[in-house]
Amino acid sequence: MTRPKKIGVLTSGGDCPGLNAALRAVVVRSAELGIEVLGIRGGYRGFYSDETQPLTLENTEGIAAKGGTILTNSRLNPFQQPEGAQVVWEQKEKWGLDAVIAVGGEGTLSVARLLYEEGFPIVGVPKTIDNDVDGTDYTFGFDTAVSIATEAIDRLRTTAEAHERVMVVEVMGRRSGWIAAHAGLAGDADVILVPERPCLAEGLIQKVQNEKKKGNNSLIVVVAEGALFRDGSDAAPRLILNNNEPDVFGRPRLGGVGAYVADLLEANVGLESRVTVLGHVQRGGSPTPRDRVLAMRLGNCAVELVWQEAFGYMSALKGASIGSVSLQKATQDRKALSPEWLEMVERFTID
Ligand code: F6P
């Protein structure tokens, strides 16, 4: 076994609180093992733009408390570049790296898996506010996003009650409704809409009408941006979007379902409705202590994986312990709300 002397680390995809804490842990553990750390700027873009920055104990001191990422992020996918992923190999040689740690969500980790399948020495660290990466119980960034969304719901409740209005809160959650379920339950929302359970508009209208009949005119509706609507036929459930231009990954640019729900309820139930889109506020600011610590544990473990040459793996939280899972398994499918979670959501929302 050849022990690594120099490794690269990058943060890629959408940012989330905790990325800097993960970087700090990578640097601290590497320093103990005598490994030099090179930060690759802008995610995978850094390989193409030749942007790097050495990470040391000195220049990462105190960064764990800061949101964002000192390395900057992009959503660039090497496999979609005209020059292809060969550039990643060439730069690794040029920079003298023995391995790379990629900190990211599903997109970033899928690229890492493809690189690994070509023989590239890479390990992953899972992050995303959406908490939808499989193979890990939680991703860092999620706890902070849930705290922000819950605080917003608590605030919206008082104004909903004052005006006897329906307050619709659109939260992030592209493929899974983890933020909507957690913040919705914590904030005692009346309705929680998640991608895992496509919503029938008539059913939703009926529920809110029943509440109105009971005299409950102030309701909180939490909706994940990726929530789907069905029409009762066999047709595939659809996303509600206010922008039909895809993002750089060719994925739908989410946003708009909250306004759709507010309009639907106001028009059909006759309760005044307003929408609040929390958007990127959920990704900003300082990470919660829980996210910082999870990020540090996952970053620390990634260095261990490199040390053991366990390439093609990512660090993961399993119960209370940190372990690892293959990138192949982690990127096969999204981590959706389980039936148990969906049951909880139903139990604590209106019938
Ligand atoms: O990182 C995940 C996520 O926050 C999704 O919930 C959301 O749909 C997406 O990123 C937004 O991406 P962007 O920052 O590119 O608008």
Side-chain angles (χ1 to χ4, degrees), residues 79-154:
F79 293 94
Q80 286 173 354
Q81 297 314 298
E83 311 95 308
Q86 185 56 30
V87 173
V88 176
W89 283 90
E90 287 163 8
Q91 288 289 35
K92 169 189 155 310
E93 287 311 307
K94 183 177 146 198
W95 294 333
L97 302 180
D98 298 309
V100 169
I101 295 176
V103 187
E106 176 244 348
T108 304
L109 298 168
S110 297
V111 167
R113 189 199 75 221
L114 291 174
L115 286 169
Y116 168 70
E117 285 168 1
E118 291 184 349
F120 195 89
I122 191 162
V123 305
V125 175
K127 67 87 211 171
T128 164
I129 65 163
D130 287 3
N131 194 38
D132 60 356
V133 176
D134 209 4
T136 183
D137 289 353
Y138 287 98
T139 50
F140 63 83
F142 173 65
D143 187 59
T144 310
V146 169
S147 304
I148 294 166
T150 304
E151 193 200 333
I153 294 168
D154 292 346

Side-chain angles (χ1 to χ4, degrees), residues 8-340:
V9 62
L10 60 87
T11 56
S12 167
D15 74 323
C16 77
L19 287 169
N20 287 325
L23 293 175
R24 174 67 180 165
V26 166
V27 170
V28 169
R29 185 63 186 129
S30 297
E32 274 175 358
L33 295 168
I35 304 172
E36 193 185 328
V37 182
L38 186 70
I40 301 163
R41 290 182 62 78
Y44 292 108
R45 190 191 68 214
F47 285 101
Y48 295 79
S49 54
D50 203 10
E51 284 172 273
T52 59
Q53 124 186 18
L55 296 183
T56 63
L57 284 174
E58 292 71 33
N59 68 19
T60 58
E61 171 101 51
I63 64 169
K66 290 187 187 138
T69 163
I70 58 165
L71 289 180
T72 70
N73 269 21
S74 76
R75 290 196 189 273
L76 182 136
N77 180 343
F79 293 94
Q80 286 173 354
Q81 297 314 298
E83 311 95 308
Q86 185 56 30
V87 173
V88 176
W89 283 90
E90 287 163 8
Q91 288 289 35
K92 169 189 155 310
E93 287 311 307
K94 183 177 146 198
W95 294 333
L97 302 180
D98 298 309
V100 169
I101 295 176
V103 187
E106 176 244 348
T108 304
L109 298 168
S110 297
V111 167
R113 189 199 75 221
L114 291 174
L115 286 169
Y116 168 70
E117 285 168 1
E118 291 184 349
F120 195 89
I122 191 162
V123 305
V125 175
K127 67 87 211 171
T128 164
I129 65 163
D130 287 3
N131 194 38
D132 60 356
V133 176
D134 209 4
T136 183
D137 289 353
Y138 287 98
T139 50
F140 63 83
F142 173 65
D143 187 59
T144 310
V146 169
S147 304
I148 294 166
T150 304
E151 193 200 333
I153 294 168
D154 292 346
R155 288 178 184 277
L156 288 167
R157 180 174 299 285
T158 59
T159 168
E161 286 168 358
H163 287 266
E164 296 203 287
R165 279 174 175 162
V166 175
M167 291 305 226
V168 179
V169 192
E170 182 182 307
V171 298
M172 281 190 169
R174 169 169 288 277
R175 307 180 302 163
S176 303
W178 291 98
I179 298 176
H182 278 68
L185 285 172
D188 201 9
D190 300 282
V191 176
I192 300 174
L193 301 178
V194 295
E196 288 86 343
R197 185 148 291 174
C199 174
L200 186 65
E202 288 74 25
L204 174 62
I205 292 166
Q206 189 63 58
K207 280 182 186 181
V208 177
Q209 257 161 1
N210 292 345
E211 287 305 297
K212 190 183 171 193
K213 276 188 204 137
K214 286 189 245 164
N216 182 8
N217 293 333
S218 58
L219 291 135
I220 299 285
V221 177
V222 178
V223 54
E225 60 181 357
L228 298 167
F229 275 75
R230 61 190 173 92
D231 62 11
S233 73
D234 287 342
R238 65 190 180 103
L239 283 169
I240 311 287
L241 306 172
N242 61 12
N243 183 341
N244 286 320
E245 282 301 305
D247 70 8
V248 287
F249 268 177
R251 308 176 308 180
R253 197 182 292 265
L254 299 183
V257 68
Y260 170 81
V261 171
D263 289 349
L264 188 79
L265 296 178
E266 187 159 294
N268 292 281
V269 185
L271 283 176
E272 207 184 352
S273 305
R274 295 285 188 272
V275 61
T276 301
V277 179
L278 293 183
H280 292 79
V281 167
Q282 295 158 98
R283 288 214 321 235
S286 189
T288 59
R290 194 182 185 86
D291 271 342
R292 293 181 208 182
V293 173
L294 177 58
M296 291 172 87
R297 294 174 79 199
L298 292 170
N300 176 69
C301 175
V303 179
E304 300 296 338
L305 292 174
V306 168
W307 190 247
Q308 290 153 22
E309 294 187 337
F311 303 125
Y313 278 77
M314 73 170 197
S315 48
L317 179 70
K318 292 175 181 175
S321 306
I322 299 291
S324 64
V325 61
S326 73
L327 287 170
Q328 206 262 335
K329 180 171 182 323
T331 57
Q332 237 163 27
D333 210 354
R334 65 167 179 164
K335 186 178 71 199
L337 286 169
S338 63
E340 186 196 338

